[in-house]
Amino acid sequence: MLTKKQLDLLEFIHRRLQQDGVPPSFDEMKVALDLRSKSGIHRLITALEERGFIRRLAHRARAIEILRLPENSKEYSNRGPAGAGAAIGSATGVANFGSSPGGSVQAENDQPRQGGTAAAIELSVMGRIAAGVPIEAINQISHQVAVPQAMLSSNGRHYALEVRGDSMINAGINDGDIVVIRETDTADDGDIVVALVADEEATLKRLFRRDGAISLEAENPAYPTRVYPEDQVKVQGRLVGLIRNY
């Protein structure tokens, strides 16, 4: 039996995993539960772990795996009972970056994955993309990854890339993440895009058009904004989702 605070924290972590694909920080937990210090959060986390509701993963910051939910939880009916070893958003965290849900995806080499409660599509991981200085353009398939179908729009092809670098960390994109990209050659100001620079270097950045030039902006103050003539930058896709393995 959980106390009210323990249950509130478990449900808060569950909701954040479902929405963002990553657990909340201890500061966010403290604010959500209206506690004065993080020491109270540490005690609640320890209690949840001792009772078998969560598991903390060693050597990874903010890595919490939900093993089960109590039947009196408001989130239980949304998820269903957890079987042995079941987890939510822990082995794989998924974040949606504003794609339109619904519809089947007409994408080459995309195959629905059988089993589970949510439809998934196998997307090709086309290689690595720099979230730092540009690297050589991606041009070959390295492996496949399962992506929730609701993350993908019905009017376009999609592919995935493995992120290398930390220039987009303030947008929640870390080194080693898999980003899901919808193929397009257009983008609005502020979109996170795959940009091909000078037909030979690809990078993941926010795009802005200013004074007849293209600015590719990082989400990390350690990296400067790079400005190119418009004819030197080609948009090859827009970010619609992210998958993180723990």
Side-chain angles (χ1 to χ4, degrees):
M1 189 73 176
L2 297 180
T3 67
K4 184 179 184 303
K5 285 291 187 184
Q6 291 166 357
L7 181 59
D8 287 346
L9 180 59
L10 183 62
E11 290 179 338
F12 176 63
I13 295 171
H14 172 262
R15 288 193 299 271
R16 286 294 299 272
L17 282 168
Q18 295 286 62
Q19 293 168 8
D20 303 334
V22 292
S25 68
F26 274 40
D27 283 326
E28 291 169 328
M29 296 179 199
K30 177 172 69 87
V31 171
L33 272 68
D34 195 25
L35 296 179
R36 293 184 178 181
S37 70
K38 288 189 287 187
S39 61
I41 296 296
H42 282 281
R43 287 194 295 271
L44 292 172
I45 289 288
T46 299
L48 289 172
E49 188 171 30
E50 289 175 348
R51 287 161 174 79
F53 288 95
I54 67 170
R55 178 171 61 197
R56 283 180 285 191
L57 306 180
H59 310 302
R60 294 180 184 272
R62 291 175 60 171
I64 296 175
E65 178 180 6
I66 294 184
L67 300 176
R68 62 190 179 97
L69 292 171
E71 292 187 18
N72 64 329
S73 167
K74 292 178 294 184
E75 304 294 330
Y76 182 87
S77 60
N78 296 330
R79 175 182 177 239
I88 302 174
S90 52
T92 301
V94 178
N96 197 309
F97 282 74
S99 60
S100 302
S104 61
V105 180
Q106 301 300 319
E108 217 172 69
N109 298 323
D110 294 349
Q111 299 294 329
R113 172 175 285 187
Q114 302 299 318
T117 58
I121 297 293
E122 292 283 350
L123 283 188
S124 299
V125 179
M126 302 300 293
R128 295 176 176 176
I129 182 75
V133 297
I135 58 174
E136 291 183 2
I138 290 86
N139 57 14
Q140 62 182 5
I141 297 173
S142 63
H143 60 283
Q144 304 288 119
V145 65
V147 177
Q149 188 168 346
M151 183 183 288
L152 310 177
S153 62
S154 59
N155 57 342
R157 293 181 52 179
H158 299 75
Y159 60 94
L161 296 166
E162 183 180 353
V163 174
R164 279 291 172 261
D166 62 357
S167 78
M168 298 300 288
I169 56 173
N170 289 344
I173 303 170
N174 298 335
D175 182 62
D177 287 346
I178 299 291
V179 288
V180 180
I181 306 295
R182 182 174 67 84
E183 285 189 11
T184 180
D185 58 4
T186 62
D188 296 326
D189 279 0
D191 283 349
I192 298 177
V193 303
V194 173
L196 183 65
V197 179
D199 287 326
E200 60 183 21
E201 296 176 323
T203 190
L204 186 73
K205 293 289 183 294
R206 286 200 188 275
L207 180 144
F208 294 92
R209 295 175 179 84
R210 293 172 179 149
D211 301 323
I214 298 290
S215 295
L216 299 179
E217 294 191 1
E219 286 281 356
N220 181 339
Y223 293 83
T225 296
R226 296 179 178 271
V227 181
Y228 302 93
E230 282 195 13
D231 61 0
Q232 292 294 299
V233 178
K234 296 178 181 177
V235 174
Q236 296 201 315
R238 184 175 67 84
L239 177 71
V240 297
L242 178 147
I243 298 173
R244 177 171 300 152
N245 291 318
Y246 295 100

